[in-house]
């Protein structure tokens, strides 16, 4: 494709005249163009968002003039990989077409309109609001979690605002655009289905690839299509008039693709060539050989016959302006996910079908992908024009994503089945359509035709049958939101679910992220801080969540540390409980990995890409091998591929370090297994619950559990020594405890925005020490590095009645 990314300008077609011929970036969007031209304030700072809402209500036009020199080809198409959203495309004054779907690509034949020399291309974007509101007026109200009209337009729902995201309704040419010339015929669609022969021989299995090819042909010249993978080739001739071909390849005992943690990620290049006289077109992708199965009764996923316990995180768009999500930024996010021992990302239905780069990274790193179709938290109309748009968009994206071995599950929607069943939508709907036809009929039908090797589940949550309560822990997959909204996090322990695809707890972003995005005073209830908190009663719930667990904050610094710590503890508590339930519970997907802007939210990595304490907690509780102290027992979970054995050392200590009871025993936990060790009475029961703790250690790992909540414990005032030394990449901080130090953490970003630490939330007994590596290119004051509010632990906090 010859990209047409140069020379664009942006003009407001409705509203004021201030915005004429503003230089524009393509791919891009109106907001980032206006920002680059310094015509608007940054919508991510303070409450600028509020004053910029007119952008989404304005009609805009992108124009460019480009040169075209006639080539030797017969046909030329204008190819638009993504238009956001209600677009009218005009070339040299002639209308090419109108579009209304962000999630589709478009191709217009333009050779007859192109002039040698200068050509003018214009794309007008009508306000997405205007369009969606007109559809709503025509199709009738639909209930949903938000008032914005997102179910009435095929555009990323969260772009209209969410309980973690601002309302920044975008418009623009958001994916590449360009000219593609061809003669005789071109490959219009290539859809490989790669799997393993279920009739596997002992220890080996043949790889099977079916390649469905659709060609666009301009005449009836004979054509041949050839597919090649792993040294095997197969060809088919297309008779005059034929537009489709199916090629089948069998690869004997290929190197397999495995999820991360279970093996290597072998990829094989699949190429498809279209030839007439000479090569006409060529397509290639890396594919992987693996077989994915979902045992729907147990909600158990397996890959290549091996059970996969899911330790997942939900993924939302990493920026409200997707053109800013560079490959480097995505790579960093994948590193952060893998670094937290996450093995699956769920691409949530209120966001996007992500970029090619996203799925390529997933393939390369063995990160499994659960892909929602794009429906979230609302009843969706099934009438035209939406029905045809949904069908076309699903067909295109199934085909686009099918080559990726990392994609292991398609899911119909987010919370729409639950909304209808449990949130009182039925009455409000008054018989109007709500999306059932998509989730139970259209989408599974398309998948049966286009991607029969992958499992499909109609919704998250969903119990397996339309007539069952969708959020039943005994069936399918559930979301847990009573914790956070109403209940204390210890309520997780009352759940015995098969699979949890959402559960979460909020915390503010890193201090430096909050500082950057909010001017003026930093306080939990400062108006600008509250603008960056979108959840209903969010900050009140943060405080309520501390109750009974941790002291109440005396000031902003305490608030920041304690609420971040509490988020980490809440999720760690949930994950440890759910993992200890194996094999009943086959997976958890924490809400949420990332953020799209600087905000207080459920994320582990904040809107500036900084890791919150939750990230460090996830790394521990999502490790292949987990020791967790549950009621009366130590549970050893081994999700790795090798046996885990050694001396399990159990001990009951007084806070001053004195050993009160101890026991060692040899344990062997087979690969994929869970072993429960009952605690002997002298360990399970404390003499003085308020001043004793329990530890369980195996290999390099140790679990610590107090007998009471920290708030009720007689934690001594923290005493320690520290040393700071300069290293090549920053500083090394060693802390030696003289008293118990509870959940020691370091927040070097308070001193320099680029500073980060390798470990946190470490509990030390008297005499023990911990070493932290601080990476930074900046010069830091060693005293500040080991003082509050940079270095924190729970027992430094002046207790208040909690
Ligand atoms: C669920 C998600 C999101 C939401 C989150 C937190 O409803 O699917 O819609 O952001 O909970 O409230």
């Amino acid at each position: 494709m010859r990209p047409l990314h140069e020379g664009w300008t942006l003009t407001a077609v409705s509203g004021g005249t201030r915005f004429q011929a503003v230089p524009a970036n393509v791919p891009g969007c109106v907001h980032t163009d206006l920002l680059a031209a310094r015509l608007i304030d940054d919508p991510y700072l303070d409450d600028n968002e509020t004053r910029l809402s007119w952008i989404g209500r304005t009609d805009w036009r992108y124009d460019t003039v480009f040169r075209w020199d006639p080539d030797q080809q017969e046909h030329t198409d204008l190819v638009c990989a993504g238009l956001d959203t209600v677009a009218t495309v005009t070339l040299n004054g002639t209308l090419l077409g109108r579009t209304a779907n962000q999630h589709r690509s478009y191709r217009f034949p333009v050779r007859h309109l192109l002039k040698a020399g200068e050509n003018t291309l214009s794309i007008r974007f009508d306000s997405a609001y205007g369009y969606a509101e007109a559809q709503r007026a025509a199709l009738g109200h639909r209930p949903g979690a938000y008032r914005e009209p997102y179910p009435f337009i095929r555009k990323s729902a969260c772009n209209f605002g969410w309980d973690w995201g601002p309302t920044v309704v975008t418009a623009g040419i958001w994916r590449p655009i360009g000219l593609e010339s061809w003669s005789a015929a071109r490959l219009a669609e290539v859809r490989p289905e790669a799997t393993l022969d279920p009739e596997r021989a002992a220890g080996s299995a043949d790889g099977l690839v079916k390649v469905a090819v659709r060609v666009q042909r301009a005449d009836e010249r004979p054509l041949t299509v050839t597919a090649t993978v792993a040294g095997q080739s197969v060809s088919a001739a297309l008779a005059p008039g034929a537009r489709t071909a199916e090629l089948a390849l069998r690869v004997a005992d290929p190197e397999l693709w495995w999820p991360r943690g279970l093996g290597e990620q072998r990829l094989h290049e699949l190429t498809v060539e279209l030839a007439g006289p000479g090569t006409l077109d060529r397509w290639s992708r890396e594919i992987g050989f693996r077989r994915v199965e979902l045992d729907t009764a147990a909600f158990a996923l397996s890959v290549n016959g091996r059970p996969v316990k899911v330790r997942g995180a939900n993924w939302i768009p990493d920026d409200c302006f997707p053109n800013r999500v560079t490959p480097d930024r995505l790579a960093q996010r994948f590193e952060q996910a893998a670094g937290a021992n996450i093995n699956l990302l769920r691409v949530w239905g209120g966001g996007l079908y992500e970029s090619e780069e996203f799925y390529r990274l997933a393939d390369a790193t063995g990160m499994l992908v659960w892909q929602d179709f794009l429906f979230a938290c609302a009843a969706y109309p099934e009438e035209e024009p939406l029905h045809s748009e949904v069908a076309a968009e699903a067909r295109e994206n199934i085909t686009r994503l099918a080559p990726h071995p990392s994609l292991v599950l398609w899911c119909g929607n987010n919370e729409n089945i639950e909304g209808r069943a449990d949130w009182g939508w039925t009455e409000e709907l008054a018989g109007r359509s709500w999306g059932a036809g998509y989730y139970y009929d259209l989408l599974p039908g398309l998948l049966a035709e286009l991607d029969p090797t992958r499992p499909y589940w109609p919704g998250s949550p969903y119990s397996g049958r339309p007539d069952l309560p969708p959020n039943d822990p005994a069936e399918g997959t559930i979301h847990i939101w009573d914790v956070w909204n109403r209940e204390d996090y210890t309520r997780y322990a009352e759940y015995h679910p098969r699979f949890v695809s959402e559960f979460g707890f909020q915390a503010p972003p890193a201090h430096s992220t909050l500082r950057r995005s909010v001017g003026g005073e930093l306080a939990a209830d400062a108006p600008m801080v509250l603008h960056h908190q979108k959840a209903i009663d969010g900050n009140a719930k943060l405080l309520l969540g501390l109750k009974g667990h941790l002291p109440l904050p005396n000031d902003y610094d305490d608030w920041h540390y304690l609420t971040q710590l509490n988020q980490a503890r809440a999720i760690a508590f949930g994950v440890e409980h759910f993992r200890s339930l194996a094999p009943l519970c086959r997976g958890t997907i924490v809400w949420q990995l990332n953020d799209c802007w600087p905000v207080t939210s459920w994320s582990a990595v904040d809107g500036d890409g900084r890791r919150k304490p939750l990230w460090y907690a996830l790394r521990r509780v999502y490790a292949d091998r987990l020791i967790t102290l549950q009621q009366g027992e130590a549970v050893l979970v081994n999700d790795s591929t090798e046996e885990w054995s050694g001396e399990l050392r159990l001990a009951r200590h007084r806070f001053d370090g004195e050993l009160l009871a101890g026991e060692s025993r040899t344990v062997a936990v087979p690969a994929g297994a869970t072993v429960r060790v009952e605690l002997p009475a002298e360990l399970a029961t404390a003499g003085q619950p308020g001043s004793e703790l329990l530890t369980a250690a195996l290999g390099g790992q140790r679990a610590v559990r107090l007998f009471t909540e920290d708030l009720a414990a007689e934690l001594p005032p923290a005493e320690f020594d520290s040393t700071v030394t300069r290293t090549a990449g920053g500083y090394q901080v060693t802390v030696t405890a003289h008293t118990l130090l509870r959940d020691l953490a370091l927040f070097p970003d308070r001193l320099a925005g680029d500073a980060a630490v390798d470990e946190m939330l470490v509990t030390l007994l008297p005499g023990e020490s911990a070493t932290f590596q601080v990476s930074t290119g900046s010069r830091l004051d060693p005293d500040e590095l080991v003082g509050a509010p940079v270095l924190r632990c729970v027992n430094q906090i002046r207790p208040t009645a909690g």
Side-chain angles (χ1 to χ4, degrees):
M1 182 167 89
R2 176 196 153 191
L4 293 178
H5 294 166
E6 304 299 321
W8 288 92
T9 61
L10 170 69
T11 296
V13 211
S14 66
T17 51
R18 214 176 124 214
F19 306 101
Q20 301 288 322
V22 176
N25 270 310
V26 169
C29 72
V30 171
H31 287 80
T32 46
D33 289 336
L34 296 180
L35 195 58
R38 298 172 182 277
L39 290 167
I40 58 167
D41 293 328
D42 186 338
Y44 287 4
L45 302 185
D46 289 328
D47 59 353
N48 293 338
E49 173 203 353
T50 316
R51 282 177 300 283
L52 295 172
S53 60
W54 58 271
I55 298 175
R57 299 227 166 244
T58 303
D59 301 333
W60 297 94
R61 200 183 64 238
Y62 280 83
D63 299 296
T64 191
V65 173
F66 64 91
R67 269 198 70 81
W68 187 68
D69 301 309
D71 54 23
Q72 297 306 304
Q73 304 273 24
E74 296 163 4
H75 304 271
T76 302
D77 299 336
L78 174 70
V79 180
C80 313
L83 300 174
D84 173 18
T85 290
V86 186
T88 305
V89 186
T90 312
L91 179 63
N92 294 330
T94 302
L95 173 72
L96 297 180
R98 294 180 206 280
T99 76
N101 193 332
Q102 180 183 16
H103 312 306
R104 291 176 64 185
S105 66
Y106 296 92
R107 174 181 286 269
F108 305 102
V110 293
R111 193 155 180 113
H112 59 296
L113 298 172
L114 286 170
K115 297 183 292 194
E118 291 199 337
N119 292 265
T120 306
L121 178 60
S122 293
I123 306 186
R124 177 194 159 108
F125 292 95
D126 292 348
S127 156
Y129 266 118
Y131 177 92
E133 283 163 357
Q135 293 298 331
R136 174 152 67 187
L139 300 174
H141 164 78
R142 295 296 194 285
Y146 305 87
R147 296 157 68 110
E148 300 285 322
Y150 59 89
F152 297 91
I153 183 170
R154 298 310 298 156
K155 171 171 168 61
S156 177
C158 65
N159 199 227
F160 287 88
W162 217 257
D163 58 3
W164 36 257
T167 303
V168 281
V169 176
T170 52
I173 305 166
W174 78 291
R175 281 185 168 159
I177 185 167
L179 293 174
E180 217 174 271
S181 291
W182 54 282
S183 299
R186 53 174 282 273
L187 291 166
E189 199 175 282
V190 177
R191 187 173 41 79
E193 283 166 29
T195 185
L196 297 180
D197 189 345
E199 307 292 316
R200 52 160 54 209
S204 81
D206 284 356
L208 303 177
V209 197
K210 241 194 303 175
V211 190
V213 178
R214 195 164 58 76
V215 299
Q216 180 183 4
R217 60 196 302 168
D219 53 45
E220 300 309 327
R221 273 173 274 186
L223 297 171
T224 318
V225 50
T226 305
T228 307
V229 68
Q232 308 257 12
S233 272
V234 58
S235 295
L238 271 87
R243 279 171 174 69
T244 58
E246 201 169 276
L247 304 158
L249 291 119
R250 173 178 283 268
V251 179
D253 199 14
E255 292 190 295
L256 301 186
W257 186 93
W258 288 97
R260 60 185 309 277
L262 295 183
E264 304 274 296
Q265 290 79 47
R266 293 289 181 217
L267 296 167
H268 305 263
E269 190 179 36
L270 168 68
T271 61
V272 175
E273 255 185 42
L274 180 66
T279 301
L280 296 172
D281 205 352
R282 193 169 181 279
W283 176 102
S284 85
R285 288 282 187 295
E286 303 231 276
I287 63 160
F289 292 104
R290 87 281 179 277
R291 197 170 68 247
V292 182
E293 285 153 307
L294 179 71
D295 170 348
T296 55
F299 211 80
L301 189 72
S302 64
V303 176
N304 304 335
R306 187 177 278 171
V308 180
K309 290 209 224 117
V310 170
R311 309 187 302 258
N314 281 280
W315 173 271
I316 63 165
D318 205 52
D319 200 301
C320 304
F321 312 122
N323 48 298
R324 299 210 287 211
V325 185
T326 58
D328 278 356
R329 179 159 152 188
L330 268 185
Q332 188 201 17
R333 220 56 82 233
F334 269 77
E335 267 172 41
Q336 288 168 328
N341 292 315
I342 287 165
N343 65 5
L344 178 144
L345 293 175
R346 169 179 175 235
V347 181
W348 166 76
L352 292 165
Y353 300 106
E354 285 291 336
S355 62
E356 275 310 294
E357 186 59 12
F358 178 95
Y359 302 97
R360 196 196 63 73
L361 278 166
D363 293 345
T365 59
M367 188 66 72
L368 300 173
V369 176
W370 160 325
Q371 178 72 49
D372 281 4
F373 286 98
L374 301 187
F375 306 92
C377 299
Y380 280 73
E382 293 170 50
E383 289 76 23
E384 293 299 346
L386 294 164
H387 194 277
S388 300
E389 287 298 341
V390 166
E393 150 201 334
R395 184 173 278 279
E396 178 174 343
N397 283 287
I398 294 167
T399 302
R400 175 166 80 89
L401 303 187
H404 295 284
S406 53
L407 177 56
V408 290
L409 184 73
W410 292 103
C411 173
N413 71 80
N414 176 74
E415 295 185 347
N416 298 350
I417 296 173
E418 184 189 19
R420 170 153 181 287
D422 299 340
W423 303 348
W425 290 0
T426 308
E427 228 167 72
E428 244 184 281
L429 276 166
R432 284 190 285 269
S433 64
W434 61 278
Y438 299 145
Y439 318 134
Y440 298 133
D441 188 16
L442 176 74
L443 298 173
L446 286 172
L447 287 167
E449 176 196 339
L450 301 171
D451 193 15
T453 70
R454 281 189 181 87
Y456 168 75
W457 196 249
S460 185
Y462 184 64
S463 287
R465 268 192 6 225
D467 56 327
L468 294 176
N471 210 26
D472 178 356
E475 307 286 344
T477 182
I478 62 165
H479 291 188
I480 300 180
W481 283 112
D482 55 354
V483 173
W484 167 249
N485 283 315
R486 292 177 298 284
E487 304 285 344
D488 187 73
Y489 69 73
T490 50
R491 182 170 154 72
Y492 286 135
E494 289 166 43
Y495 281 91
H496 288 75
R498 294 198 176 274
F499 200 103
V500 190
S501 40
E502 279 187 19
F503 64 114
F505 209 92
Q506 274 205 349
H511 167 79
S512 50
T513 302
L514 199 55
R515 184 66 286 177
R516 185 186 75 78
S517 56
V518 161
E521 182 209 8
L522 278 185
D525 56 358
M528 291 304 135
V529 173
L530 287 174
H531 187 82
H532 291 247
Q533 161 62 282
K534 299 290 191 184
I536 300 172
D537 290 335
N539 272 23
K541 290 173 188 171
L542 282 176
L543 279 188
L544 207 63
L546 294 172
K547 239 185 141 109
H549 298 289
L550 288 164
L552 287 178
N554 298 298
D555 54 22
Y556 161 80
D557 289 332
D558 282 0
W559 172 79
H560 191 266
Y561 167 61
L562 290 170
T563 53
Q564 282 204 331
L565 172 64
N566 206 44
Q567 176 194 36
R569 286 195 180 174
I571 297 308
F573 181 92
V575 170
E576 288 189 46
H577 165 69
F578 298 132
R579 285 190 76 187
S580 80
L581 298 178
L584 172 79
C585 181
R586 299 305 187 111
T588 55
I589 309 181
V590 65
W591 185 267
Q592 66 209 68
L593 177 71
N594 57 335
D595 272 329
C596 59
W597 77 315
V599 68
T600 293
S601 86
W602 299 263
S603 73
V605 173
D606 77 18
D608 283 357
R610 295 196 175 92
R611 297 168 296 174
K612 289 153 77 164
L614 171 59
W615 181 90
Y616 299 82
L618 280 177
R619 181 174 59 179
R620 180 175 64 78
V621 298
Y622 267 173
D624 278 349
R625 294 167 169 184
L626 171 73
I627 312 174
T628 172
L629 285 160
Q630 298 289 315
Q631 260 335 312
E633 56 184 12
V635 184
L636 308 173
V637 183
N638 181 12
D639 289 351
S640 80
T641 54
E642 275 159 44
E643 185 183 83
W644 184 23
S645 57
E647 283 295 299
L648 173 70
R649 294 180 314 281
L650 300 165
R652 180 161 63 87
H653 286 275
R654 224 167 40 208
F655 285 172
D656 65 10
E658 174 145 339
L659 181 66
L660 300 171
E663 183 180 305
S664 257
R665 60 173 81 173
T666 308
V667 290
V669 190
T674 300
V675 163
R676 332 182 83 86
V677 178
E678 203 186 317
L679 298 175
E682 69 274 19
L683 284 159
T685 315
Q688 303 286 332
S691 55
E692 295 177 19
L693 56 78
L694 199 59
T695 61
L698 174 60
Q701 286 189 52
R702 180 170 81 175
V704 179
R705 189 173 169 144
L706 268 53
F707 285 91
T708 67
E709 292 291 346
D710 285 24
L711 190 66
E714 293 149 31
L715 295 175
E719 282 174 33
F720 57 90
D721 278 337
S722 56
T723 57
V724 178
T725 49
R726 195 109 167 89
T727 61
Y731 296 85
Q732 177 171 298
V733 178
T734 302
V735 177
T736 304
H738 298 317
T739 61
L740 176 73
L741 299 180
R742 183 70 175 136
D743 274 333
L744 189 57
L746 226 57
F747 299 98
D749 69 293
R750 281 175 170 268
L751 302 178
D754 73 332
V757 69
D758 66 334
E759 175 64 300
M760 63 165 84
L761 310 186
V762 184
T763 292
L764 294 180
L765 290 172
E768 292 178 340
S769 53
T771 298
F772 301 89
Q773 304 295 340
V774 174
S775 59
T776 180
S778 312
R779 203 161 249 296
L780 309 182
D781 178 337
D783 290 339
E784 286 186 332
L785 206 44
V786 292
V790 177
L791 185 152
R792 306 290 318 237
C793 63
V794 175
N795 43 324
Q796 280 173 328
I797 298 203
R798 235 180 322 123
T800 52

